[in-house]
Amino acid sequence: PGRGGFAERQARRVFEERARQAVEEVNASRGALHEGSEEVLLGCGAEGPTGADLPSGARVLLVDDPGGGRLAAALRERGLRISRWCRFARGPSGAGAAASPERRAGGQLFDAAVVRLPATKAALDLALAALAPLLAVGAPLWIYGARSEGALSAKAALREPAFVGARTAVTRGGFAVAKASRSGTSVDEFALSAHGERVRLEVEARKLKWLVYPGLFAGGTLDIMTKLLLEALPAPPAGARILDFCCGSGAIAAAMGLRAEDARLHLLDADAVALEAARANVPQAKKLFLSDAWASVPESTTYDWILSNPPVHLGLQCDFTVLTALLAGGPPRLRTGGALYLVAQTYVPVGLLAPEASSVWTDGRFTVWRLPPSATPRPTAGGSEG
């Protein structure tokens, strides 16, 4: 029995290490997609922003550029001035993330824009609606990304009346760059509220008035995985502080608010548009964090429950970066007796990435996992905290 137990432990360690390596490879592939996309964009010559006929001092708006500054540096070398709009929080502070771009001081328009292809068509359409009124007539706009992300279809989003001359300017390897110019037709000023949709979301056997925006996960429905997570949960602790991690439009937090009116709800998402919807849908929330994983959450903030249906795809590509951040940062933020509950497709190796995780429900396709606090859980804070 001793030798068998040792062999079993050794085998598990091997599987855990292989799972970690596989996840690291998946996460690294996301970075490789962006690097390849950026490389093709920078190598476009006259078809791209670094070779375009833009005068020195022209203002270029970079949209959701997740790179390490190569694109901005190349444009600055040409004497161009750079502004940024990121819908998604990235990095330690999430600085600059916003649901919509800001108009330049004095109402001046941008001379060009470069857009990193979003994960969904709806998100791209929303971004272009926000950009169009900020671009000068004739301003070029580029959209760059991988073919596996849908880059060859990007030109279809550059529609009249806002844009003219839409085409796929460059294709190279697995990457593509679309290009168009701002037309002379005026368009309405962008207001995020004008793009919202009011629906009824059935949560806890109640139909709630619900706000959604284009590109949000599950739209105005309760997706099957969130539904299964909610069904698997026990009753929340009295007066619990609960974090809805990757909250989207706020369905998990809303359900907890219905189950326990004394629950203190915090919501977190990297998507500024999602957080605007959640703000409207869960007005009783004590705190909302626009945050790249845990980056904007104070280390002193602890929870009785952390709940999540974390994304494991970005568009059509697997991406475990959010999941690994949740597993690493969640348990240390749990109070004594607390728990992290998450739902994932069963193929996702949660149990190998977090050996302390236990399955509380599965149907073979989806699994609900529970993680306890880390070895040194943080004490429960006083009830006066939000």
Side-chain angles (χ1 to χ4, degrees), residues 287-339:
K287 291 186 180 179
L288 295 99
F289 296 104
L290 177 58
S291 182
D292 183 0
W294 303 103
S296 300
V297 183
E299 288 191 7
S300 60
T301 302
T302 57
Y303 295 97
D304 298 291
W305 274 11
I306 298 172
L307 307 177
S308 187
N309 177 4
V312 293
H313 295 90
L314 186 60
L316 299 177
Q317 307 297 318
C318 286
D319 186 343
F320 294 151
T321 53
V322 174
L323 173 65
T324 52
L326 172 62
L327 296 176
R333 288 174 169 81
L334 290 172
R335 299 170 174 176
T336 302

Side-chain angles (χ1 to χ4, degrees), residues 81-97:
R81 295 181 293 170
I82 304 302
S83 296
R84 294 179 183 273
W85 169 43
C86 291
R87 171 174 167 171
F88 294 87
R90 290 189 177 92
S93 66

Side-chain angles (χ1 to χ4, degrees), residues 54-80:
L54 292 171
S56 179
R59 178 71 73 176
V60 180
L61 180 60
L62 302 186
V63 180
D64 276 327
D65 169 33
R70 289 183 62 210
L71 175 59
L75 295 175
R76 288 192 180 103
E77 283 182 8
R78 281 211 48 214
L80 304 177

Side-chain angles (χ1 to χ4, degrees), residues 9 146 149 157 166 193 205 220 225 239 276 281 287 301 320 328 337-338 349 353:
R9 290 192 297 274
E149 298 172 318
S193 59
M225 291 174 64
E276 288 303 309
N281 294 329
K287 291 186 180 179
T301 302
F320 294 151
L353 293 172

Side-chain angles (χ1 to χ4, degrees), residues 41 47-50 52 54 58-65 71 75 80-85 101 109-116 127-128 130-136 138-144 158 163 177-182:
L41 178 72
E47 289 284 14
T50 55
L54 292 171
R59 178 71 73 176
V60 180
L61 180 60
L62 302 186
V63 180
D64 276 327
D65 169 33
L71 175 59
L75 295 175
L80 304 177
R81 295 181 293 170
I82 304 302
S83 296
R84 294 179 183 273
W85 169 43
L109 301 175
F110 290 97
D111 303 298
V114 184
V115 180
R116 178 65 171 94
L128 294 176
L131 287 174
L134 303 183
L135 294 175
L141 181 145
W142 294 268
I143 303 171
Y144 68 107
L158 295 165
F163 299 99
V177 178
K179 182 180 180 182
S181 298
R182 178 71 175 91

